[in-house]
Amino acid sequence: MRLMSPPVGLTALADTDLVGQVARILTQAIIKGQMLPGAKVVEAGIARELGVSRAPVREAARLLEQQGLLVSHPRRGFFVRKLEATDIDEIYDLRICVECHAGVLASKNMTPANRDMLRRQIDVMHETAAIDDHARQIEEDYKFHRMICEIAGSKRLLRLFDDLASELRMTIGLIGRLYDDPHRIAQTHEALLEVLEQGHPDIITARIDYHIGAAWREVGKLVRELPSSTNGAAT
Amino acid sequence: MRLMSPPVGLTALADTDLVGQVARILTQAIIKGQMLPGAKVVEAGIARELGVSRAPVREAARLLEQQGLLVSHPRRGFFVRKLEATDIDEIYDLRICVECHAGVLASKNMTPANRDMLRRQIDVMHETAAIDDHARQIEEDYKFHRMICEIAGSKRLLRLFDDLASELRMTIGLIGRLYDDPHRIAQTHEALLEVLEQGHPDIITARIDYHIGAAWREVGKLVRELPSSTNGAAT
DNA sequence: CAAGATTAAACTGTCGACAATCGACGATTA
DNA sequence: TAATCGTCGATTGTCGACAGTTTAATCTTG
């Protein structure tokens, strides 16, 4: 008779998942700059602080390692990754490659609903530009770009974007300021949306290439101003 | 005065790493088809079979999950991923995106040494084409493409390629045969090397796009011939 | 006989413990 | 004095165990 399951599909609140929680907490700690690049991640310490055992912490650390937020020196432990200028370059280079592709795919899947979603996000960016919260502004910016990857409709593409984004977020904690006027940034996204609706692959590619390239150049400047970084790979 | 270190560089013998070993063994088992898509991965079973405890197995499984070879259903365990036609499409689509980019980068870094390395690999492919070992032929094919990513000089690009390749290798165990005459495949790589030396980005992109696209179409045909696959995501 | 309820087995998630290893600090020697 | 050696505390890698949940197997009942 099946009266057991009220058929509505709610998002499973499967948060008995310690590993995932620990991973999120660690990620946040790294992004927020509470754990600085190069810092050692002491398993027992984290475990005690979170009130769990070391096993979930280790598994979470392995996740963040694969994600590029931590590096593992066998028998020595995990360390917060130190991104060097060359890493930033690699990430932005890949980001351009990936997002150009996502843009072209997205333009093919463009529907009124999608268009509105992007449009609304740009509005949010303008609103956020008024208040003085850089972290928030950057987050809204990422959201827009993430939407493009969502619309592109490839899970792998989206995950790749998320990975790159979380690596980039690491540096934000260090830079701590934007590379341009928030309103201007929001405007460039309007232009981007426009060419997406247009639908010419070459133009989309050129536009996104320029758009992200601009951020790359600016961020690159800021990073190179920072205290020089020797890689976490000691000895 | 620095008389401390006799400077001889020995290769570090860092393989006490159980997790890595387990991960490699599981990966091989999946690629070789010993663990079929959809199969449950029983931690205790693997652990006993390998003579280790469950902890390293779990951590290895998490690695393979992030790599896309396993899927984790919380509280139910890990399962060998079932790739559907749409997954294959996603992977090839991304592969084209990534390798086109790698090709352009590689052509910029092209040196005589690199050129020779690629040339020699093509020779190996021709040699391998003579003997009847499909797995080996495919492996040599991948090696060539991997070299391009290496020459491109981006660690992230290379890792991305490796991830995609290992996902694709999963299906090979199922398909079990090549999609074309091995010699012909080797020849197409010669053409590829040629345009790489030439160095025109657009031509390189077009060439690689076509090259991988051809494989995609052929593999796609083969996959769709196989027994249909419902995703491992039950309920 | 089939569908549902009940019980038993198997498995996962998590924990605490123990040995092996690493890094630091001080002792030793030229 | 400066470099090397030895020792000690801290930390990792791995293990076995236990509780809670899922799966299967069995029993019940209409």
Side-chain angles (χ1 to χ4, degrees), chain A residues 148-186:
Chain A
I148 293 179
C149 294
E150 280 184 288
I151 296 172
S154 165
K155 288 175 198 168
R156 283 167 183 77
L157 205 54
L158 185 58
R159 210 170 73 82
L160 186 47
F161 173 85
D162 282 336
D163 284 355
L164 292 175
S166 77
E167 275 200 274
L168 281 179
R169 271 188 267 258
M170 281 189 60
T171 62
I172 295 169
L174 296 180
I175 295 177
R177 63 188 169 104
L178 278 177
Y179 50 86
D180 197 357
D181 171 64
H183 273 296
R184 184 121 54 108
I185 293 181

Side-chain angles (χ1 to χ4, degrees), chain A residues 12-13 38 42 47 55-56 85 94 125 140 146 175 197 223 225 228 232 235:
Chain A
L13 131 94
V42 183
L94 241 190
M125 290 178 69
E140 298 300 342
R146 189 176 195 277
I175 295 177
E197 293 183 271
V223 168
E225 288 171 8
S228 74
T235 304

Side-chain angles (χ1 to χ4, degrees), chain A residues 4 42 45 91 96 121 133 144 146-147 154 162 201 211 219:
Chain A
M4 45 184 314
V42 183
I91 296 173
I96 288 178
Q121 182 57 27
D133 183 347
F144 181 88
R146 189 176 195 277
M147 281 178 183
S154 165
D162 282 336
H211 177 89
V219 170

Side-chain angles (χ1 to χ4, degrees), chain A residues 41-59:
Chain A
V41 179
V42 183
E43 299 171 6
I46 305 292
R48 190 155 22 80
E49 202 157 343
L50 296 180
V52 300
S53 87
R54 275 176 51 215
V57 175
R58 276 182 68 89
E59 294 188 22

Side-chain angles (χ1 to χ4, degrees), chain A residues 1-2 16-19 51-56 75-76:
Chain A
M1 257 202 279
R2 309 204 83 272
T16 333
D17 176 19
L18 262 197
V19 179
V52 300
S53 87
R54 275 176 51 215
R75 287 273 162 210
R76 296 171 25 92

Side-chain angles (χ1 to χ4, degrees), chain A residues 31 44 174 202:
Chain A
I31 289 176
L174 296 180
D202 292 343

Side-chain angles (χ1 to χ4, degrees), chain A residues 54 73 75 80 85 104 110 135 157 173-174 185 188 202 205 216:
Chain A
R54 275 176 51 215
H73 292 202
R75 287 273 162 210
V80 179
V104 174
M110 195 58 75
L157 205 54
L174 296 180
I185 293 181
T188 62
D202 292 343
T205 299
W216 182 359

